[in-house]
Amino acid sequence: MVRVNNCCGCCDLKSGTISISIVYLVLAILNMILGIMGVVGAKGAAMYVGVTIDGIMVILCILLIIGAMQDNHILCMVWVVGAIVWSVLLTIMAIVASVLIGLLANAAEDIQPTDQPDVPAAAVGAAIGVALGIMWGIVAVEVTLVIYSAIVVYSHAQNLREGGTSPPPYSQFGGPKAI
């Protein structure tokens, strides 16, 4: 797997790992709260699946904070595996949502209320296309950020496993002096 020497070009891997765990912990807690309140996501069984996945992410983030603070590479690797599984689940849920939206749009095309003016099929198709495009854009950004975060955490875990410490971050302003 790819390894990096720093996080975001400005901080060492341990600080980046702790930052990543805090950011994902806050996001997972917010998403759980909003999901329970019914503000975001679906209703019914789909809500419970989303809240459960976010709950698992909260646990993984707590384990990552402990692992990074105590220099435990095993706890860091648990988060990497969990992040990869989370990315796969997110992608699967997006595929299922896309298929269901397509099926519902196809079924809704057959049901036209008689007291409402007909909505052109092209307008409905364009609206569905925009909604799916926005959804897939968000999924792509989320998965990309999780993959980069997993690479940072993996690099930190490997440095810990090898018995070394994190190398210093790249210096954007310093470096070898020319004589």
Side-chain angles (χ1 to χ4, degrees):
M1 187 170 181
V2 177
R3 289 175 68 174
V4 294
N5 292 328
N6 59 28
C7 177
C8 302
C10 63
C11 62
D12 64 327
L13 291 174
K14 183 173 183 172
S15 300
T17 298
I18 294 169
S19 300
I20 286 167
S21 62
I22 291 171
V23 167
Y24 281 107
L25 179 65
V26 169
L27 291 175
I29 290 172
L30 284 174
N31 205 22
M32 276 180 63
I33 292 169
L34 293 175
I36 291 170
M37 291 173 45
V39 175
V40 295
K43 306 286 186 230
M47 180 198 66
Y48 295 116
V49 170
V51 170
T52 302
I53 290 172
D54 289 328
I56 291 170
M57 186 57 114
V58 167
I59 294 168
L60 290 174
C61 289
I62 292 170
L63 290 175
L64 181 58
I65 291 171
I66 294 168
M69 297 296 280
Q70 295 183 351
D71 293 334
N72 185 331
H73 74 280
I74 294 172
L75 291 178
C76 293
M77 288 304 294
V78 167
W79 188 88
V80 171
V81 171
I84 291 169
V85 170
W86 184 85
S87 296
V88 169
L89 288 175
L90 179 67
T91 305
I92 290 171
M93 288 189 311
I95 291 170
V96 169
S98 297
V99 169
L100 289 176
I101 288 171
L103 291 174
L104 290 174
N106 193 23
E109 191 175 283
D110 297 335
I111 305 169
Q112 285 288 334
T114 55
D115 59 344
Q116 299 285 333
D118 289 339
V119 178
V124 173
I128 291 172
V130 168
L132 287 175
I134 291 171
M135 181 191 75
W136 277 103
I138 292 170
V139 168
V141 169
E142 284 186 62
V143 170
T144 302
L145 289 175
V146 169
I147 289 172
Y148 177 73
S149 299
I151 291 171
V152 170
V153 174
Y154 173 79
S155 299
H156 179 61
Q158 291 299 57
N159 285 343
L160 293 175
R161 188 180 64 84
E162 293 168 359
T165 58
S166 299
Y170 295 124
S171 175
Q172 297 172 344
F173 304 105
K177 304 274 186 209
I179 298 178

